[in-house]
Every structure is written in structure tokens, then in C-alpha cells.
Amino acid sequence: MNTQIDNLLHEYRKFPPSEKFSREAEVSADLYDEAKADRLEFWARQARELLHWDTPFTRTLDWTNPPFAKWFDDGKLNVAYNCLDRHVEAGNGSRVAFHWEGEQGDTRTVTYAELTEEVKRAANVLAGLGIGQGDRVAIYLPMIPEAVISMLAVARLGAAHSVIFGGFSADSIRSRVDDASAKLVITADGGWRKGKVSALKPAVDAALEARGDLGPQETVTNVLVVKRGENEVDWTENRDLWWHDEMAKASAEHDAEAFEAENPLFILYTSGTTGKPKGILHTSGGYLTQCAFTHKAVFDLKPESDVFWCTADVGWITGHSYVVYGPLANGTTQVLYEGTPDTPHPGRWWEIIEKYKVTTFYTAPTAIRSFMKLGRKIPKKFDLSSIRLLGSVGEPINPEAWMWYRKVIGAKAAPIVDTWWQTETGAIMISALPAVTETKPGSAQVPIPGIAIDVVDEAGVPVGADSGGLLVVTEPWPAMLRGIWGDPERYKETYWEKFGDKYFAGDGARLDHEGDIWLLGRVDDVMNVSGHRLSTAEIESALVAHPFTAEAAVVGASDETTGQAVVAFVIIKESMLEESAAVEDIAAVLRSHVGEQIGPIARPRDVFVVNELPKTRSGKIMRRLLRDVAEGREVGDTTTLADTTVMQIITGQVTAK
Ligand code: 6R9
């Protein structure tokens, strides 16, 4: 890790935007000046110009009760109207909203007029099932148009959605549905993944029924099921309904009611430092303003001619903000792809870019690195000349991957924007502006206009140029989380207690000699695997839930492709030694157990069975030392261990494998 950081800090190449790109760009450096002169007025102007307000707001920010912010709070708007109807009313109904591509090559083109009509119908279906303002709806769907339609239908009614990524298990669905007291679950029979149908409804069925020490789930009254996989599903009468049956019966007329700017829009669960995922709460007006602004400014959006493709699943924040809310608020034409990047062949993504003439492509470093491994020959087979801008998100992008992205995908011409933000920040916070900033491979660079960020030491003092520390946001921002669902104390503790008046992001960062920001990864027990956040504590508790396991310690070890990989060290219970010895591959058993408990993305890359874990005298596991072992390094300082010989034993056991 340290050598990687050193590499980053010796990276001084710079790439100015081309003269042509700057000349044709939608935004200029004036935005920084304007925001600097009056930050709140800057955001108020964005909110007024980018959105339609049924009741205009007169207050921009209410920060009288920090850290609970209110933005534009006396204004009223409807989020779905802003993403749909107003584009149709402006004469853009025939513009394509989505070029949808199924994994098997089936396609659907959805215009803004069609999307609006579908969302109106779906809103009527949901209203008929009793959904309205103040309710939560859980959504567990593949990347099909119905996922977007569902989210917008919930928003249209003033209810809040909680999208659960399709890779999560029944247990994860249950805890999320319970935590949010969802009334309705929208799912599908299945979706296409890696060349076959992967069933979804069984996980929802299992989540809602009584199992183990859990009784039946009590708040969900209906399950609405989209037919996509055509796989056989079990049916619970009086609870389950087919989406297509209900949509066929519903009216396509629906007037959008305006709701307060602070009406909850969604809850999205993300991993924290403890075992229990946090329900990050976002509201309407401020969130939509910052999504629309950043989508326009960071991606230099030209809504009449651009084809935007953000490859994120709508189960993650990136899919919420840059597949659904930002792009649709701006009337963008997008690509939506159901499947995996390498099905049925490794050039699938490049083929899609060629087919739909994608101009703006936004993906994660882990994907770029895995394509890099396969070689440039694959993308070179396709015509990628439509691309004019590239984006990166989710984890630090190493300069080597950045250069490959630029050369092989961007033909050495397309600017690359490396965008830093989080589920909690709601929208992009740090990024180059492509027509303005000279980009540097590996650095996310500068806060966007209107955002105040700093790098501070443990005491909260700014470190200044050429130093490292912790990343903080120093002023409230429109798309900031409004809290953790049902747990205001945890919100204060997690993000605000450390510095009092500054938001603590949990990321380490460094400022270079020019003041550009370099992100160095998480400073807490959160791992970042392929751009997905996972908590060490959550995986440890899944591991110890297995009858074999006495103790478990999990670390994120650096991995060439996925950024970090989950590596687990487990101690088997004395009483289970005999039984576990009979199992051929304990590691495989425990890996799949984690997959069942949390979801396949959380499955450890390696599971090492050891006799001891390195602990301090106070009993804290020293993960730093385990990370050294997992990354094949000389083990660091062990003097604070209760038993200093334990690391030799562990290293011996691991290298013997
Ligand atoms: C949008 C998203 C947030 C964490 C964040 C940081 C890492 C995201 C990054 C980045 C370096 C970037 N992260 N973007 N690190 N450079 N451009 O990914 O949200 O899933 O909540 O993850 O991801 O560590 O704290 P989320």
C-alpha cells in the first residue's frame, strides 16, 4: 500500500483539455468565482434554474440545528415531475430516455413520453396498494426499465424507496425491509446474469417468511413481481401480484402532487464500521439540485446530442444519482444495460458503446483494471470514436489504469473526470471540470463549485499543501444525507463527533504541492471491493454465525483488480475440530456461508484457518498485522501484542497453504 501511495505522489503528468473541448463546453471557470462570491446564492440559482418548483423556496439553507440541515425547505416540488413530465411538456417527449439492452441482446427503447406514461401507471398501481407520502417501498430488481420506473413511481407519490442491490441475500433483504418498515416490495421473478437467469423472488419470499428465530415479516402487505426471467416462482395468494397484470388495469393519467423539499426521497443502506448497515436518508429538493448540477457540470452535458452511460447498478448510490435522478432531471439520453461486462463475450461493453454511440462513459476503476488485464485488443475491435468524456468513481484510480483508460478507451483525447463522493454525500463532491481543469492521473483534484472540503489532522487543523490527513467537508451541502434512518445519534456519532463542525468522511487524503486532492482509501474498518463498500465487522459477524467458527478477523488486502479483497482469518471451535476436519474444503464452506448471509459480493477471496489471532493486551485485534500477512509483506511492529510469537505462527500457517 505504501509503495502505491508513493507512486501516486510522484505522478506529476498533466493533461489540459483540448482547445476544441473547451471551446464547445457548457460550463466555464466562472462557476468557481460565482460560488466563491456567495455559496448559498450559487446553490439557490442552481435549484431555480435546473428544477421546476411548484412553490418557489425563499430559504436556501437552515443550519440552525446542526448537523441536521434543511435546504430550500419552504419550497415544494415533485421529483418525478422534474425527471419526466416537464421534458414532455417542453416538447421533448420523443427523445430517448433509455436505450435498454438485455444481457441476451434483447432491447427496448424508452422515450421520455413512454417513461412518463409508465411511471404514471405505476404510481396509480402503487397508490391502489395504499402507498403514499410517509411510506417506504423496497425495490429488489435487475437492471431493467422497471427498476427506474418503480423508483420514480415511489417518488411521484411522495413515498420513499429503499433499493436493495440484486446481489444481496434474503437475510440482508429482511434486515433492510424491517429497518425501514417497508409496506411493499417490488421484485422480479429473475434477471439475466452471466448467461443465465438468476432468480430473485425466492430471496424475497425467504426474507418475508418466519425463519430461525425470526417471526414472519409484519409490515409488508404486498409483493409486486415483474416478469423478466420467466423462471418458475412460488406464489403467496393475497400478497403477490404480477406487475404486468396491475399495470394493464391502471390508468395512465396521474397528476403529480408537489411535496416539501425536505420530503424523504429514499433510504439506501451502506456498510459502516459496525455490523449493522446504516440506512442513509436523502430528501428531495437539495439532493435533486446537486445531482442535476453535477451531472451537467462534471459531464459537460449536451442533452440534445449526448448518450450517457453510467455502468453502475441502481442498487448503489451511483445508480441512484447518475442513472436515475441527475440524468433524468437533465433530460438525458442514456444506456441501461442489464448484464455483466463479459457476457456473452469480453467485448460486450465496447460493443454497446459502438452500437449506441455513447459519448460519455462513467465506470469504476475495478472494471477498467479487469479490462486492462484482458488487453487492448478487445476494445480495439470496436469503434469507440463517439466517446468524448470519461468518468471514474468508487475507489482511487491508479495512474496506470488512468493512462490505459485515456489511451485505449478515450483515444488520448477524451478528458477523464475522477469523481470522489459517497452514499452519504449523495452527489459528486470532488472532481475536475473537464473543460477547465488540467487533469492529473490518480488525483480526484478539486471540490466542485459550491462545495467546501479540506484535509485536516487528527485535531481538525488543516494540513496544508504537500501533507496528508483526513478528508472533511467543512460546510453543509445540498445533497448531504439528512441522517441515518431511525438513528439520529448514530448519525451524529459517525460523522460529526470527531470534529464537531466538520463532516468526517472516513477517507484519508493528501494535498499535493498545488493543492490538488489525492484520495488514499478508508481510514476506518470499511473495505472497498470493486467499488463496493463492505464492513469488516459485518463479514466477521457472518463468519462467527457459522457453527464451526470461534473467532474471525477480516481485513481488506490490496488486490490488483478489485482494489481491495476480503481476506478472513478464522479460528475453529475446539468442539468442532473433529467435525470440521472431515470437511474437504473449510475455506470454501465459509466463503459460501458469507455469500448466503450477506451476498456474493461479500464472499472472502481467502479464508485462512489459524490457531490464534493477534491481539493487544486489551484484546483488540490488530488488523494491521493481518493485512501485512494477507498482502505478503514483512509483518510490522508487533511489540504491543499480548503474545509476540503469534504472528510467526500465523505467517507460518498462511504461507504453508
Ligand atoms: C460513490 C460511491 C464511498 C467510498 C468513499 C471512498 C471511495 C469513491 C472515489 C473513492 C477515491 C474516488 N471512493 N469515489 N475513492 N477516489 N473517485 O462510491 O459511494 O459506495 O458510498 O463509497 O468510496 O473511500 O468513502 P460509496
Side-chain angles (χ1 to χ4, degrees), residues 420-433:
W420 178 90
W421 57 294
Q422 307 176 296
T423 305
E424 293 87 341
T425 70
I428 294 170
M429 302 291 276
I430 303 175
S431 170
L433 290 190

Side-chain angles (χ1 to χ4, degrees), residues 270 316-318 362 365 392-397 418-425 430 442 444 505-507 519-522 526 528 531-533:
T270 186
W316 307 111
I317 191 67
T318 307
Y362 190 31
S392 174
V393 60
E395 50 185 316
I397 177 165
D418 175 7
T419 63
W420 178 90
W421 57 294
Q422 307 176 296
T423 305
E424 293 87 341
T425 70
I430 303 175
D507 277 12
L519 275 310
L520 303 178
R522 303 286 306 189
V526 174
N528 191 325
H532 298 150
R533 266 163 78 170

